[in-house]
Amino acid sequence: MRKQYVILSVLAVLAIASLAVAVNSRRAAPRKALDLVLADAEFGSQVLPVLQKNCWDCHGDGARKGDVNFDGHTNIHTLLADRRLWERVLHTVKTGEMPPKKRQTQPTAGERTNLVAWLDRTLFPVDPEHPDPGRVTLRRLNRVEYDNTIRDLVGVDFQPAADFPQDDVGYGFDNIGDVLSLPPILIERYLKAAEAILDEALVTGPLPTVARRFDPGRLEGHGGSESLATLGSNGEMSLRYEAKVPSEYLIRVQAYGDQAGPDKVLMAVNADGKELERYEVRRTRGNSKAYEHRAFLSPGSHRIGVAFLNDYYKESTVEETGPKGRKTQKKKIEDRNLQVEFVEVVGPFTNTVPELPESHRRIFFRQPGPKTTNEVAKEILARFAGRAFRRPASVEEVARLMTLFQQAQGGGDNFETSVRHALTAVLVSPHFLFRGELQSDPDNPNAVHRINDHALASRLSYFLWSSMPDETLFRLAEKGSLRNNLAGEVRRMLADPKSKALVDNFAGQWLQLRTMEIITPDAKMFPEFDERLRASARRETEMLFEHILKQDRPLTELIDADYTFVDGRLARHYGLEGVAGDDFVKVSLKGTPRAGLLTHASFLALTSNPNRTSPVKRGKWILENILATPPPPPPPGVPPLEAKELKGTLRQRMDAHRDNPMCASCHAKMDPIGFAFEHFDAIGRYREKDGTEPIDASGVLESGEPFDGHRAFGNLISGSKREDFIRCVVEKMFTYALGRGLEYYDRPAVEAACKELSANGLRFSTLIDGVVRSVPFQYRRGDGDPLLAGDTR
């Protein structure tokens, strides 16, 4: 019977027609349609000849240097169909990057000016008086947003989205509407998750025996990652488990050890500070084992701990014989660690009905009387649906939910179980699963609307918290006063612990820190790179970003900060003294070769190959994520850098690689930047030599600025390249906040935010304020191309 009601719930809610949502409407002044005949004539007579004279030898008549070819772009229609290419052309011509300076024949100053002006006004017209806010595709909650929303909606903190398929990534982020597809398996998982959520949150009878799994990301006190919990020294990792009834519970720890020294890893399972049982962990990586203990737990919150009892660490020097009998001295590290893949608590094993948890009382905030059953159910469902949909539920929506409730009542279910059927429908409703902002005239690109306060609250909360609005935001939205209190709300939200989501999800993807989970330095060449170092390196960069965010420091401190955050493991890796243990502390970098995130082990390791540094990867990463000038993709057929064929230092081999004309143009951008960081090896250790040769970290940017080493290059970013860096951060933040890629019509908003940042000391709060007050964040329009739509009055 229950399954039938669930299916009915899904079908009923999916059948709900799209409902009109009140919006504050503003009709944009009509944009003038592009005169295609005139534009085509101008292109043929004024633009195409300049391109053929200056660009065709590399990008026409079949030539495709830098993966750019103009053969198919011979009229205005083909240009409009490929605006992204011509946006690149506009940028490179405007900055003087193209044609290359070494080319003898250059366009005149007038030709360059006219070409830039024509491209700008014809393909990328921007009207500051009537800005185009763009349009965000209806998008579903990604996995992180789903988990966080359930936490804040229902009051249960576990990870129901753990079984969902991985989210696709677009423009560097996993919250982009255009790529968040809905595979059929996800619909099934939504239904399963809704059942699990309500099982956890509500009490409708004796509790079933369930297994609750705690992945490393939910374990506290370890130095590992979100996929593997590591204890590198004696200590304890722990979790909080809420036992709802007195019963036995099974505690299961899936673990193995990094074995070193004469003894095997020794582990203990604890509950509330009391040791329950200890185990000799004999298994190693790839062959973990489940260690189990049954313990009686009274109702309430319990601290379940997993302790590492016999740390061992030893460094020594060994002599190895290489090719031709050559003997070398190599450092050997023996390091015993406890590795935990997950902890699971299974139970309860009893038929006792538990006390009502806070999550139950939150939903059932009223109890029905003999004559108020329908009234109370309606109030409960209206409130829950309004929070779940992030806007007031309509009369029609509540009526449909009440139909499900009454069907269950007619089938003999009690009040709580009947309400639960309707709650299940809410949790699989498109209005919960998708972030939608319905508007009138949705297919008219000239119909621009200011989003209502509920939509603004939702945009704000998912931007800063990756979760739903809280009660304060809902209250302001219901009064229509959120915009009047926007600055104060932003400050409040950034001070809230939930703003850690901006570190995890924005910084974690912009700076590609999530990639730290999958890098694999060569174990023989870098034996000291272990799971604890991997996690510590990632955490260092997260803490720097979080510090600059929370303390409202200038954004340039990401590049030139003379301080960082380290634990004992990372301090030893950097050669810093006076830091021990697993706790991170702020330390000065004055007098050391490090400054800013570009000297963090995270960046240096994730931009290296398993067995050596990669100036190409490091240079490309900086161009894409720091300077907002990504290089074009390599042309097909480019040969790899083969160490067996090219001899000498890495710089000498790269110089030989650039002798290939197919490689030279792109590598001239990437390689000098990457070589600035050659003093750091593939796992971020400082060094003076590459093999036996002194390192040459000097270079010249393609724009002509010389530098010698990573510090001088960092000074360039904070100096002459500061505008590029600020524009990059602003563009990344807008992309993440809006959930879409940026377009040419977003230029006024980006430029305004950059200008305001420069005028206010580059403070982080100014960046956030600039985004949330911008036209793209506050408004939306109908679908289509305004340039071609014309006057719609």
Side-chain angles (χ1 to χ4, degrees):
M1 176 66 74
R2 179 176 175 184
K3 192 68 173 179
Q4 290 175 332
Y5 281 128
V6 170
I7 295 172
L8 284 172
S9 302
V10 178
L11 295 177
V13 177
L14 291 179
I16 295 175
S18 295
L19 300 172
V21 178
V23 295
N24 294 317
S25 176
R26 176 178 69 88
R27 171 75 75 176
R31 297 172 177 82
K32 184 178 179 181
L34 179 65
D35 188 332
L36 296 177
V37 176
L38 177 60
D40 204 40
E42 290 177 342
F43 177 72
S45 62
Q46 302 173 25
V47 178
L48 187 58
V50 176
L51 295 174
Q52 289 173 331
K53 183 178 76 171
N54 295 284
C55 310
W56 235 246
D57 51 347
C58 294
H59 305 293
D61 295 329
R64 198 178 190 86
K65 194 169 185 179
D67 199 33
V68 174
N69 177 266
F70 295 148
D71 287 338
H73 299 82
T74 56
N75 59 64
I76 188 62
H77 296 282
T78 55
L79 270 65
L80 289 170
D82 198 1
R83 275 207 190 99
R84 291 206 178 276
L85 169 64
W86 290 98
E87 194 167 20
R88 284 173 53 195
V89 172
L90 176 62
H91 175 75
T92 56
V93 174
K94 183 185 291 186
T95 59
E97 185 180 334
M98 288 290 166
K101 291 181 174 60
K102 64 182 180 181
R103 190 176 187 274
Q104 292 184 349
T105 304
Q106 293 283 332
T108 66
E111 288 175 331
R112 189 183 294 273
T113 299
N114 291 338
L115 176 59
V116 167
W118 187 89
L119 290 173
D120 229 344
R121 72 171 182 270
T122 306
L123 301 186
F124 311 107
V126 172
D127 182 0
E129 296 300 319
H130 304 98
D132 182 351
R135 182 176 184 274
V136 179
T137 303
L138 179 75
R139 65 187 186 274
R140 64 171 173 82
L141 302 178
N142 65 24
R143 300 195 330 159
V144 170
E145 292 168 340
Y146 183 94
D147 280 343
N148 291 347
T149 302
I150 290 298
R151 175 199 67 202
D152 296 335
L153 173 67
V154 182
V156 293
D157 189 10
F158 72 120
Q159 296 172 314
D163 291 335
F164 294 179
Q166 289 290 332
D167 296 312
D168 291 326
V169 174
Y171 304 100
F173 298 102
D174 63 4
N175 66 341
I176 305 299
D178 286 341
V179 301
L180 284 171
S181 58
L182 186 64
I185 191 173
L186 188 53
I187 299 175
E188 178 185 334
R189 298 287 171 83
Y190 281 146
L191 182 56
K192 181 180 178 182
E195 293 287 332
I197 291 162
L198 296 176
D199 281 342
E200 185 73 19
L202 304 180
V203 173
T204 57
L207 296 179
T209 300
V210 296
R212 186 169 178 190
R213 179 165 165 166
F214 295 81
D215 291 318
R218 304 189 61 223
L219 301 176
E220 298 180 350
H222 67 86
S225 64
E226 292 190 0
S227 60
L228 189 65
T230 303
L231 287 176
S233 58
N234 288 351
E236 182 186 64
M237 66 182 77
S238 64
L239 59 93
R240 302 300 305 189
Y241 181 78
E242 187 76 22
K244 296 181 178 179
V245 293
S247 172
E248 275 198 340
Y249 292 81
L250 176 67
I251 302 170
R252 179 181 296 128
V253 181
Q254 193 75 24
Y256 67 88
D258 295 331
Q259 309 295 348
D263 302 316
K264 299 298 181 183
V265 169
L266 194 60
M267 175 185 79
V269 172
N270 305 328
D272 299 321
K274 178 182 178 181
E275 183 175 306
L276 301 178
E277 189 171 352
R278 61 175 56 190
Y279 310 84
E280 186 177 64
V281 180
R282 307 182 66 85
R283 301 291 184 91
T284 57
R285 183 185 300 272
N287 187 30
S288 64
K289 178 183 175 181
Y291 298 87
E292 298 181 346
H293 180 86
R294 291 176 74 101
F296 181 86
L297 299 178
S298 59
S301 178
H302 296 271
R303 184 172 182 268
I304 308 299
V306 179
F308 179 33
L309 304 177
N310 63 335
D311 184 32
Y312 178 89
Y313 182 87
K314 180 180 179 182
E315 293 185 7
S316 58
T317 302
V318 296
E319 188 176 82
E320 293 186 352
T321 302
K324 300 181 181 180
R326 182 179 178 183
K327 297 185 181 298
T328 57
Q329 299 291 318
K330 189 172 183 179
K331 184 167 67 173
K332 178 182 178 182
I333 295 177
E334 297 177 83
D335 189 9
R336 181 188 300 150
N337 303 303
L338 172 63
Q339 307 285 4
V340 175
E341 295 175 350
F342 64 85
V343 179
E344 204 166 55
V345 182
V346 185
F349 300 96
T350 181
N351 290 322
T352 303
V353 177
E355 293 184 6
L356 299 181
E358 191 279 332
S359 57
H360 184 106
R361 297 193 301 273
R362 176 190 295 192
I363 294 171
F364 290 96
F365 59 91
R366 281 190 63 189
Q367 290 299 314
K371 298 181 180 181
T372 60
T373 299
N374 284 346
E375 175 191 331
V376 173
K378 185 176 181 179
E379 189 174 348
I380 289 171
L381 293 175
R383 176 174 173 174
F384 186 84
R387 294 301 184 259
F389 298 166
R390 281 85 67 181
R391 57 163 175 80
S394 70
V395 173
E396 294 84 356
E397 287 169 331
V398 175
R400 286 181 170 89
L401 295 172
M402 282 299 296
T403 298
L404 296 173
F405 167 77
Q406 290 161 353
Q407 288 174 344
Q409 286 271 281
D413 286 339
N414 64 24
F415 179 79
E416 286 81 2
T417 303
S418 299
V419 170
R420 176 188 167 121
H421 291 310
L423 297 178
T424 304
V426 172
L427 294 180
V428 295
S429 165
H431 297 293
F432 170 68
L433 299 172
F434 287 81
R435 292 175 54 195
E437 299 162 353
L438 302 180
Q439 66 179 65
S440 58
D441 213 2
D443 296 322
N444 179 3
N446 278 321
V448 176
H449 302 273
R450 190 175 75 169
I451 61 175
N452 65 22
D453 277 41
H454 283 98
L456 179 60
S458 187
R459 284 194 179 190
L460 194 60
S461 65
Y462 282 100
F463 171 32
L464 300 180
W465 289 345
S466 296
S467 185
M468 63 181 285
D470 65 358
E471 290 303 316
T472 301
L473 289 172
F474 275 128
R475 185 170 59 253
L476 290 171
E478 287 161 8
K479 293 179 179 178
S481 59
L482 177 56
R483 281 185 171 85
N484 295 334
N485 295 275
L486 195 56
E489 283 304 290
V490 168
R491 288 194 296 272
R492 178 184 71 84
M493 294 174 73
L494 289 176
D496 192 284
K498 288 191 287 189
S499 66
K500 177 67 163 54
L502 197 61
V503 179
D504 296 337
N505 303 319
F506 172 69
Q509 294 182 87
W510 166 37
L511 303 176
Q512 299 177 10
L513 298 176
R514 293 181 179 181
T515 310
M516 286 295 294
E517 296 287 332
I518 60 174
I519 63 170
T520 54
D522 187 285
K524 291 184 178 179
M525 297 186 68
F526 305 105
E528 56 271 76
F529 189 90
D530 54 20
E531 293 302 323
R532 186 178 175 194
L533 181 58
R534 182 196 304 273
S536 297
R538 175 175 176 172
R539 186 67 187 129
E540 174 193 23
T541 308
E542 290 174 340
M543 290 189 72
L544 175 64
F545 182 92
E546 187 171 14
H547 176 79
I548 293 171
L549 167 67
K550 295 289 188 181
Q551 301 300 317
D552 200 17
R553 303 293 300 167
L555 291 172
T556 44
E557 285 193 13
L558 289 167
I559 303 299
D560 58 20
D562 61 358
Y563 60 88
T564 193
F565 300 86
V566 296
D567 60 357
R569 181 69 184 86
L570 193 58
R572 187 165 68 243
H573 187 65
Y574 286 173
L576 301 175
E577 298 180 353
V579 181
D582 294 337
D583 293 333
F584 277 77
V585 296
K586 184 181 179 182
V587 297
S588 172
L589 292 176
K590 292 178 180 179
T592 78
R594 299 182 190 271
L597 68 87
L598 296 181
T599 61
H600 286 189
S602 58
F603 159 72
L604 297 163
L606 66 86
T607 55
S608 293
N609 291 329
N611 60 348
R612 64 168 175 84
T613 62
S614 175
V616 175
K617 289 182 179 179
R618 289 177 176 177
K620 181 174 182 288
W621 191 98
I622 290 172
L623 287 172
E624 291 176 341
N625 297 294
I626 300 298
L627 299 177
T629 53
V638 175
L641 177 63
E642 296 291 351
K644 293 182 179 179
E645 297 178 6
L646 303 175
K647 305 297 182 182
T649 65
L650 182 57
R651 178 181 279 273
Q652 292 166 343
R653 285 180 274 153
M654 291 299 300
D655 288 343
H657 189 66
R658 283 199 304 275
D659 287 342
N660 184 334
M662 295 175 65
C663 310
S665 61
C666 293
H667 282 273
K669 296 180 181 180
M670 299 183 290
D671 294 2
I673 295 174
F675 276 118
F677 298 89
E678 269 300 280
H679 277 295
F680 299 97
D681 70 8
I683 59 172
R685 293 176 304 190
Y686 187 77
R687 60 183 183 170
E688 291 289 349
K689 294 183 177 182
D690 178 8
T692 59
E693 298 294 324
I695 287 173
D696 178 6
S698 63
V700 179
L701 296 182
E702 193 177 39
S703 51
E705 296 97 326
F707 59 87
D708 188 1
H710 59 280
R711 280 196 175 277
F713 177 75
N715 291 337
L716 284 178
I717 296 178
S718 300
S720 63
K721 295 295 181 182
R722 190 179 78 167
E723 289 187 5
D724 291 335
F725 170 61
I726 296 306
R727 179 169 59 88
C728 182
V729 179
V730 169
E731 288 178 350
K732 297 287 185 182
M733 190 66 81
F734 265 105
T735 299
Y736 178 79
L738 298 176
R740 63 170 174 83
L742 298 188
E743 301 290 347
Y744 70 91
Y745 44 74
D746 295 310
R747 203 182 312 153
V750 171
E751 290 175 353
C754 291
K755 184 177 180 180
E756 194 167 353
L757 266 170
S758 296
N760 289 279
L762 305 178
R763 300 291 173 177
F764 207 109
S765 61
T766 303
L767 171 61
I768 301 296
D769 286 339
V771 171
V772 301
R773 288 187 289 102
S774 69
V775 168
F777 197 85
Q778 296 265 346
Y779 290 82
R780 63 175 290 131
R781 63 162 167 82
D783 196 15
D785 189 339
L787 189 60
L788 302 179
D791 191 340
T792 60
R793 283 185 300 182

